[in-house]
Amino acid sequence: MNALNSLLINIVKWPFRPLIRTKVIPAKLSELLSVDNDRSIFYVLKEQSLSDLLALQRVCKKQNLPDPFSPVNLEGKEYTRYICLDKLPSSLHLKRSPTDAEPQVHQLLTQHKENQSLDAQLIPVFSTWGRYPGKTKSEADLVFNDQKKPNALKKFFIVLFSGRHNLIQFSQPLSLREIADDHGTDHKIAHKLLRVARFHFQRQRLAIAGPKLWDRSLLINGLLASPALKKVIEDEAKTKNISTQEARELAKGYLNEMAADYRESVVRVGDKLLTWIWNKLYHGIHIKNVENVRKLAHEGHEIVYVPCHRSHMDYLLLTYVIYHEGLVPPHIAAGINLNFWPMGPIFRKGGAFFMRRSFRGNKLYSAAFREYLVQLMSRGYAVKYYPESGRSRTGRLLKPKTGMLAMTVQSALRGLDRPISLVPVYIGYEHVMEVSTYMKELRGEAKEKESVWQVLGILKKLRHFGQGYVNFGEPINLNKALTAANPTWRDNIHPTTMQKPTWFPSFVNEMSQQVMSHINQAAALNGVNLTALSLLAAPKHSLFRDDLETQLKLCIALVEKDAPFPQLTLPPDTHQKVLLDHAIGMEKYKVEKGKTDIISLSDDEAILQTYYRNNILHVYLLPSLAAACLISHNECTRDMILAQWKIILGVMAGEYFLRFSDDELRLHLEHIITTLLNHKLLTQEGDKLTAIKHTEAKYQQLHLLSVYAQETLQRYAIVIAAFEGKKAITRIDLERSALDHAKQLARLHDIKGPEFVDKSILSQFVLKLRELDYLESNDEGLLLSTAHLDALQDIVYALIEGDVLNTIRHP
């Protein structure tokens, strides 16, 4: 760079400095990008723009990367460090001259061919000012949209208006050595390389800002004109004996009720507000595995987010995280109950589209909603919906509702030209603001209707909420899943008619189970849920501090590796003292000072803490069952534990959405045994494993671990015990008897978990027993036990503590 250019840059950058505020994607460059600072680095940019380069210069300084204005010297030849694909058009609309990108890349490749020791890196750097996607027939594009190769004057105004919303995204470096060795060094390779870079930048722009937004009225009119919806409108007119125009107006009313009105400006304002709120409420938001989602978006996948639902905060938190990770905010399926003033219009402009709780009996509404969803996906808008439909009141995942997922699969059967990827998301909190309300509802109080007064009431309660967790689970490629399940599925594609082939219901059910399983696999451990897990297992929900710390250490060790939860997130600091100090700081536990502090839960708080325990209970079911097996038998073998696991998992898997291969189970069991041996909680002699004696001090640890699964086993035992002394029973009588017995057991043995007396969970277990042939129906429709139930009974009874088992079997 000559002295004149250097002087010009230094003069210009100072007035630009206060105008520019940049967000870098990914935030942790050194962790996620394999950049080698010992090798020469070149930056590849979309446009030769001084404002882009000045923003990049500031970012590189903070990230300890080379200054883009500093030259690169290779074997005595000097190059500019930045390679720009295009020049900005002149303000006078003169023909643009090409950049020297292609000649420079060709020269670099040639040097690599001549000198085998060279290995420079090309780092694609995408820069955008604002996230405005553009809108059909909109004058706003003139100022806010930098997608249309603006001239220098327009670029100045873009920076002036959107400079505080600059986003720079770095991609993985490309090795020129590898390119030269694998593909050659001629002009065609250089040209192809830059063409691929242009396509890469287009994909990044689409992933960040999304496709152009349609005018809402034009979108609705387009939906009304679609062949699929027109046919249903005609059928509605005939069925209800009204005119086609009246049926059309009815459909139009439905579409106006549901359709989003996404505004990037509202999202931008919401981003500032939510940043302030999160800083007030949370110590940190921990995000994991978002790189997988970004990769799918850059590859052109239709992204469908399917998160669990814990709190009303979910709507805001997940969208906020997606936006901050450089991805376009999704259109969100929200219940019609949230369409209240003033939040409804705000949510709608933030991308929410509203749906009624039930479509049953209203074919026109169902068709309008389905057509709207298809149009969102076909036009490339990311979508988010909650497979559980409602918020979990117990902290466990709910049985999924398959309606939205079925419509997603049907969208694929309409011939969507891009692959669809379902992205499961685990959302967790150290404090859920509605948890006390949930407990009231579980006790039978009516659900409070959403309103502006409820929002104001919530705002009054805002306080320190600890930490939040957003973990993106393993994505599910819907197209590949369809091919694996039915290789001829594309034969059912029809561009206008919704298809529902014979294999469709079972496939949708299988996908829903996979989604929930992947959510659970991405669970997040933290000080609060681990402390709740241990204290709720302890007598009177109290432990000495040192015993509690020891138990937390064991819990972390059991899942630090070889756990069959590949996306599991451990706490930021796994030291047991730090975990407990943080949990105590959340003001949920009583601390009784003494020679050794006692940590305990009040009766009321114990009920609330079951919610946080249930967030992670599924993670510790296998270790708990192994501990229970070791305690209940004098001697155990690995094969014995595995055999019990497989039988119990058969009935437990549906309730807790657990899916493990035999290899995963064996690997996890080996890790559990090794951990227990390291903590001196069992001994091994040959193949035989023996738990330490109950008289030893460390026995408490093993016993607490075995208690984690006790409530689940006790619920199973209650249903099984209902068949003792009975030949046959109706399903209604079975469920009523089991529920009454569960309530008695909860009172006698101080069981706090509201889900223990949840009728729906007991009903699901009965259905699972029938599905697995533990129960069968006679000609009169009565339920009878089979020989299989006797085998399950022997295992479950053996794992339950004696005094509780006696209560369960009391006639």
Side-chain angles (χ1 to χ4, degrees):
M1 182 186 300
N2 59 44
L4 182 61
N5 284 340
S6 179
L7 177 63
L8 179 63
I9 290 168
N10 283 319
I11 291 173
V12 171
K13 75 177 180 181
W14 292 110
F16 266 80
R17 185 178 291 271
L19 297 178
I20 300 175
R21 186 176 301 140
T22 301
K23 179 173 182 59
V24 181
I25 303 292
K28 299 178 181 179
L29 284 180
S30 58
E31 294 181 15
L32 297 175
L33 297 186
S34 52
V35 179
D36 186 351
N37 284 325
D38 294 330
R39 293 155 53 195
S40 298
I41 291 174
F42 292 86
Y43 304 110
V44 181
L45 289 87
K46 181 179 62 171
E47 296 167 349
Q48 188 169 315
S49 164
L50 183 57
S51 55
D52 290 357
L53 288 166
L54 288 172
L56 177 60
Q57 182 186 45
R58 292 174 65 179
V59 168
C60 289
K61 185 176 181 180
K62 291 179 181 178
Q63 299 288 341
N64 296 317
L65 291 171
D67 188 322
F69 292 110
S70 64
V72 181
N73 192 293
L74 290 181
E75 299 293 312
K77 187 171 181 60
E78 191 172 279
Y79 297 92
T80 57
R81 193 177 293 276
Y82 55 87
I83 300 171
C84 302
L85 304 184
D86 296 302
K87 286 186 178 180
L88 294 178
S90 70
S91 301
L92 300 176
H93 299 288
L94 299 176
K95 186 177 180 180
R96 286 181 294 161
S97 58
T99 67
D100 59 357
E102 192 170 320
Q104 181 173 345
V105 171
H106 180 246
Q107 288 178 18
L108 288 169
L109 287 171
T110 301
Q111 271 200 276
H112 279 70
K113 179 181 180 181
E114 295 171 351
N115 188 340
Q116 294 295 315
S117 64
L118 289 179
D119 189 6
Q121 303 167 95
L122 297 181
I123 302 180
V125 180
F126 178 76
S127 178
T128 182
W129 303 85
R131 308 275 287 273
Y132 180 63
K135 195 170 184 178
T136 55
K137 300 181 181 179
S138 172
E139 288 75 19
D141 281 9
L142 296 175
V143 176
F144 296 107
N145 192 0
D146 71 342
Q147 193 174 2
K148 292 184 173 182
K149 296 186 175 65
N151 59 37
L153 181 61
K154 182 181 174 184
K155 187 80 173 187
F156 169 78
F157 284 107
I158 287 172
V159 174
L160 185 64
F161 285 103
S162 300
R164 273 72 62 205
H165 304 281
N166 174 237
L167 186 145
I168 291 180
Q169 181 163 322
F170 290 79
S171 299
Q172 287 290 351
L174 300 174
S175 167
L176 281 173
R177 170 83 279 135
E178 291 180 8
I179 294 170
D181 291 345
D182 296 343
H183 303 286
T185 61
D186 61 19
H187 281 286
K188 289 182 179 180
I189 297 302
H191 178 76
K192 183 177 180 180
L193 184 61
L194 297 181
R195 189 177 66 213
V196 170
R198 281 191 176 88
F199 184 69
H200 175 71
F201 288 143
Q202 288 173 2
R203 280 282 177 82
Q204 284 189 308
R205 173 73 198 190
L206 193 63
I208 288 170
K212 278 192 174 185
L213 299 173
W214 278 69
D215 180 86
R216 191 168 182 269
S217 60
L218 291 177
L219 173 63
I220 290 174
N221 288 332
L223 289 169
L224 292 170
S226 67
L229 191 51
K230 281 177 72 175
K231 185 179 184 305
V232 180
I233 289 172
E234 291 169 0
D235 293 342
E236 182 80 0
K238 292 176 183 177
T239 302
K240 293 191 173 179
N241 197 25
I242 58 177
S243 69
T244 303
Q245 182 60 31
E246 287 175 310
R248 189 178 187 276
E249 288 300 316
L250 187 59
K252 186 175 182 179
Y254 291 153
L255 290 169
N256 268 310
E257 176 186 288
M258 66 181 67
D261 189 19
Y262 180 83
R263 306 287 179 88
E264 195 268 343
S265 57
V266 172
V267 174
R268 186 182 291 186
V269 172
D271 170 53
K272 290 182 178 296
L273 176 62
L274 289 176
T275 297
W276 178 80
I277 290 175
W278 301 146
N279 288 337
K280 289 287 184 182
L281 295 184
Y282 298 107
H283 279 169
I285 305 295
H286 301 277
I287 304 160
K288 186 177 178 183
N289 302 322
V290 71
E291 281 300 312
N292 294 337
V293 186
R294 191 178 293 118
K295 183 174 182 292
L296 291 172
H298 291 169
E299 291 174 352
H301 285 234
E302 169 62 28
I303 305 295
V304 179
Y305 298 96
V306 277
C308 63
H309 202 2
R310 312 281 193 209
S311 164
H312 280 315
M313 281 288 189
D314 300 347
Y315 299 109
L316 305 174
L317 180 59
L318 181 52
T319 298
Y320 176 85
V321 166
I322 291 169
Y323 183 76
H324 267 258
E325 290 298 329
L327 294 165
V328 61
H331 280 56
I332 308 160
I336 195 70
N337 57 307
L338 294 177
N339 191 17
F340 61 89
W341 189 89
M343 301 311 297
I346 294 173
F347 290 153
R348 195 185 295 276
K349 288 178 171 59
F353 58 98
F354 296 100
M355 58 188 292
R356 298 180 181 182
R357 287 298 181 191
S358 175
F359 299 0
R360 186 170 295 174
N362 194 335
K363 292 182 179 180
L364 183 58
Y365 183 90
S366 179
F369 188 89
R370 194 165 50 232
E371 194 65 20
Y372 176 68
L373 185 64
V374 169
Q375 288 300 316
L376 287 179
M377 293 185 179
S378 65
R379 291 176 179 178
Y381 301 118
V383 173
K384 178 178 79 176
Y385 54 77
Y386 297 93
E388 298 166 285
S389 185
R391 291 166 291 158
S392 170
R393 266 61 177 176
T394 63
R396 297 154 46 109
L397 291 186
L398 304 176
K399 183 179 179 181
K401 305 289 178 63
T402 58
M404 289 293 292
L405 183 57
M407 292 184 195
T408 303
V409 177
Q410 287 177 325
S411 297
L413 295 178
R414 286 277 292 269
L416 196 67
D417 60 357
R418 292 173 299 110
I420 300 174
S421 282
L422 305 173
V423 179
V425 187
Y426 176 94
I427 303 175
Y429 307 92
E430 289 184 323
H431 179 80
V432 174
M433 61 183 179
E434 303 103 320
V435 72
S436 58
T437 304
Y438 292 163
M439 297 303 138
K440 292 177 183 177
E441 291 176 18
L442 289 169
R443 287 196 295 267
E445 293 188 21
K447 177 180 178 290
E448 185 179 350
K449 185 179 179 180
E450 286 79 4
S451 67
V452 66
W453 307 114
Q454 187 187 43
V455 173
L456 292 174
I458 289 172
L459 291 175
K460 289 180 182 179
K461 300 176 185 177
L462 293 184
R463 61 179 184 84
H464 167 46
F465 283 179
Q467 302 183 68
Y469 300 83
V470 178
N471 295 347
F472 295 88
E474 182 184 353
I476 301 169
N477 187 310
L478 188 57
N479 300 63
K480 289 183 178 178
L482 280 165
T483 301
N486 192 332
T488 61
W489 70 274
R490 295 184 187 278
D491 296 342
N492 295 108
I493 286 177
H494 193 283
T496 59
T497 305
M498 284 295 178
Q499 300 297 303
K500 198 171 182 180
T502 54
W503 50 264
F504 182 83
S506 60
F507 177 78
V508 171
N509 286 331
E510 169 62 20
M511 284 297 98
S512 70
Q513 295 299 309
Q514 277 196 39
V515 165
M516 305 310 284
S517 175
H518 286 203
I519 291 173
N520 260 348
Q521 287 176 2
L525 307 182
N526 58 62
V528 171
N529 53 34
L530 287 169
T531 301
L533 181 72
S534 297
L535 284 179
L536 287 169
K540 297 184 179 181
H541 312 310
S542 302
L543 286 170
F544 285 119
R545 178 176 181 126
D546 55 351
D547 289 337
L548 181 51
E549 287 181 356
T550 304
Q551 194 68 18
L552 295 180
K553 183 178 180 180
L554 174 63
C555 286
I556 292 295
L558 284 166
V559 295
E560 269 188 317
K561 64 176 185 176
D562 297 330
F565 301 96
Q567 313 298 332
L568 183 71
T569 296
L570 296 177
D573 191 322
T574 58
H575 193 278
Q576 62 273 15
K577 185 179 186 306
V578 176
L579 286 174
L580 186 53
D581 284 342
H582 177 75
I584 291 172
M586 293 294 295
E587 300 177 358
K588 298 177 183 293
Y589 311 101
K590 293 193 298 185
V591 181
E592 183 181 328
K593 295 291 184 180
K595 182 179 179 181
T596 302
D597 293 351
I598 297 175
I599 315 298
S600 62
L601 289 168
S602 66
D603 286 345
D604 288 341
E605 188 61 46
I607 296 172
L608 300 181
Q609 286 291 295
T610 62
Y611 190 94
Y612 304 102
R613 173 200 65 185
N614 290 345
N615 287 177
I616 61 164
L617 180 59
H618 63 281
V619 175
Y620 290 96
L621 286 174
L622 290 178
S624 181
L625 291 172
C629 183
L630 287 163
I631 289 174
S632 64
H633 299 86
N634 290 329
E635 292 179 340
C636 265
T637 65
R638 288 167 172 79
D639 288 341
M640 182 177 175
I641 295 173
L642 277 172
Q644 289 196 359
W645 273 7
K646 289 177 182 179
I647 292 174
I648 295 176
L649 276 175
V651 294
M652 193 178 277
E655 179 181 347
Y656 289 101
F657 305 103
L658 301 173
R659 292 184 168 209
F660 309 126
S661 67
D662 288 350
D663 288 342
E664 286 174 329
L665 289 178
R666 287 190 177 277
L667 189 64
H668 190 37
L669 177 58
E670 202 56 47
H671 175 64
I672 290 170
I673 291 171
T674 301
T675 302
L676 296 179
L677 286 169
N678 290 340
H679 284 72
K680 302 187 184 328
L681 299 178
L682 61 83
T683 58
Q684 177 174 313
E685 188 174 332
D687 291 336
K688 295 183 180 172
L689 305 167
T690 306
I692 61 172
K693 296 179 181 179
H694 70 277
T695 54
E696 297 187 41
K698 280 182 168 288
Y699 176 81
Q700 182 188 39
Q701 280 186 268
L702 189 66
H703 180 257
L704 284 176
L705 180 60
S706 73
V707 173
Y708 297 165
Q710 282 294 304
E711 288 184 17
T712 301
L713 294 171
Q714 289 161 16
R715 276 191 287 105
Y716 295 169
I718 287 170
V719 174
I720 294 170
F723 284 92
E724 290 190 23
K726 296 184 179 68
K727 292 183 178 180
I729 187 172
T730 67
R731 178 182 163 187
I732 293 175
D733 287 342
L734 172 60
E735 292 177 1
R736 184 186 296 119
S737 172
L739 183 61
D740 290 342
H741 207 160
K743 289 177 179 178
Q744 289 181 330
L745 190 67
R747 285 196 297 271
L748 288 171
H749 293 276
D750 196 27
I751 297 171
K752 300 297 185 183
E755 73 279 0
F756 191 79
V757 291
D758 189 322
K759 181 181 177 182
S760 65
I761 294 176
L762 288 169
S763 297
Q764 288 176 38
F765 178 60
V766 172
L767 288 173
K768 196 67 178 178
L769 291 178
R770 293 186 66 181
E771 178 188 328
L772 298 175
D773 295 326
Y774 287 108
L775 301 177
E776 60 184 12
S777 299
N778 63 15
D779 294 337
E780 298 174 354
L782 299 177
L783 294 177
L784 301 93
S785 63
T786 67
H788 298 299
L789 189 66
D790 294 336
L792 178 64
Q793 174 182 291
D794 292 342
I795 293 173
V796 172
Y797 281 6
L799 297 178
I800 294 176
E801 296 179 334
D803 56 340
V804 178
L805 182 60
N806 289 334
T807 304
I808 292 172
R809 301 187 70 180
H810 189 276

